[in-house]
Amino acid sequence: MANILIFDSGMGGLSIYREVHRALPAHQYFYLFDNACFPYGELSEQRLVERAVELFAAFTRQHKVDLAVIACNTASTYVLPALRESLTMPVVGVVPAIKPAAEHSRNQGKGRIGLLATPGTVARRYTAELIQNFAADLEVSLLGTTELVKMAEDKLAGEPVELARLARILAPWQGDAGPDTLVLGCTHFPLLSEEIQQLLPDVTLVDSGQAIARRVSSLLEGASQTETAPPGQIFCTTVTAKALIQARAFHGEGFGKLRLFTP
Ligand code: DGL
């Protein structure tokens, strides 16, 4: 049995956990979310890298981790090299699914893709290179929004999703000139995919979840699986009333009580 750590600033990693767990149900899962520093999309690159390295060093000192998934595009598009240098286990990053979206748009769409991500991710050099390498022949529009990240957090805390608010965020893409294929380049956004699809019914939504599950499965090929997996363990970096409510979504998926982790 392998110990798999899934990490995000908040609830977004749940969308990745679900895919990984579906592929590999019989392992020990840790979910760590850094709500003390949320939202990552607004942090400077320098702060992000220092925080991620500090958190991972401390977490892996206290818990045996065989593989870590950075279930956060905002972090992965910047901190992966530093994390890989400082850790000995495999680290899988989640980055925007530009390549599959471009293939889909080229073959089945109109050659127009949209990237919906955080302000941090849309500004990264890594993201510009992904677009240059895989979608240079397409029309690519970028939309960076922290408001949508917060709406996903609120949804997980039991608040209703206001469609009118979502429509305002997606307004640049509504109508015939909008993209045919949309990359959900933030792990929070698949948690709102039904609502996004409702507002953009003809657009194909693409995220990285299944590709990450395949990558984790191939890295853990040969690792034994237990017959009954132990309960997942969930940690936050500050205990708040909201985090306790959000953690219920994880309790429903086999995780134990929310615990505080401070580096
Ligand atoms: N879930 C994260 C991502 O995939 C970031 C959200 C945030 O903290 O801004 O980008």
Side-chain angles (χ1 to χ4, degrees):
M1 183 188 70
N3 292 347
I4 303 172
L5 169 62
I6 312 259
F7 170 74
D8 186 28
S9 58
M11 296 289 102
L14 180 59
S15 67
I16 299 294
Y17 164 74
R18 284 179 174 149
E19 297 294 344
V20 176
H21 181 257
R22 201 196 321 269
L24 297 166
H27 289 289
Q28 168 73 67
Y29 285 90
F30 300 121
Y31 188 90
L32 170 63
F33 64 106
D34 188 13
N35 55 334
C37 290
F38 173 89
Y40 272 16
E42 308 275 333
L43 293 187
S44 72
E45 291 182 335
Q46 173 74 10
R47 175 77 187 115
L48 197 55
V49 80
E50 283 166 7
R51 177 68 175 173
V53 168
E54 176 197 28
L55 268 184
F56 272 80
F59 195 87
T60 54
R61 261 198 308 274
Q62 292 180 31
H63 303 272
K64 180 180 170 287
V65 174
D66 300 306
L67 182 144
V69 180
I70 313 304
C72 174
N73 295 258
T74 310
S76 297
T77 49
Y78 193 73
V79 307
L80 277 180
L83 272 184
R84 286 185 173 138
E85 207 170 295
S86 67
L87 298 169
T88 52
M89 77 285 304
V91 179
V92 177
V94 176
V95 299
I98 299 285
K99 190 178 174 197
E103 277 162 17
H104 182 272
S105 179
R106 213 173 276 127
N107 299 327
Q108 290 167 57
K110 303 178 198 140
R112 285 202 300 266
I113 68 174
L115 169 63
L116 189 60
T118 64
T121 300
V122 300
R124 296 262 188 275
R125 184 205 289 209
Y126 186 96
T127 304
E129 285 171 0
L130 271 182
I131 295 169
Q132 185 55 38
N133 292 339
F134 300 113
D137 56 324
L138 305 179
E139 202 182 298
V140 184
S141 45
L142 313 179
L143 206 149
T145 165
T146 295
E147 193 180 356
L148 199 54
V149 178
K150 290 186 174 159
M151 286 175 73
E153 287 284 308
D154 292 347
K155 179 179 180 183
L156 271 279
E159 289 173 33
V161 178
E162 250 185 79
L163 278 189
R165 191 172 164 207
L166 183 57
R168 271 198 303 279
I169 297 169
L170 299 176
W173 285 339
Q174 276 175 326
D176 286 347
D180 55 77
T181 308
L182 188 58
V183 181
L184 301 181
C186 168
T187 54
H188 279 75
F189 299 161
L191 303 174
L192 291 168
S193 59
E194 273 171 35
E195 293 85 352
I196 295 171
Q197 194 76 80
Q198 217 173 311
L199 291 168
L200 302 173
D202 301 325
V203 173
T204 302
L205 304 181
V206 178
D207 67 57
S208 309
Q210 289 181 8
I212 298 302
R214 284 194 297 274
R215 178 77 188 127
V216 173
S217 301
S218 88
L219 286 168
L220 291 180
E221 215 175 67
S224 62
Q225 299 209 45
T226 50
E227 223 149 81
T228 36
Q233 299 184 34
I234 177 164
F235 304 86
C236 59
T237 52
T238 176
V239 177
T240 61
K242 185 168 187 172
L244 289 166
I245 300 173
Q246 289 172 325
R248 290 185 197 150
F250 284 83
H251 302 332
E253 305 204 21
F255 280 77
K257 180 165 155 283
L258 181 64
R259 286 194 273 158
L260 177 67
F261 173 76
T262 43

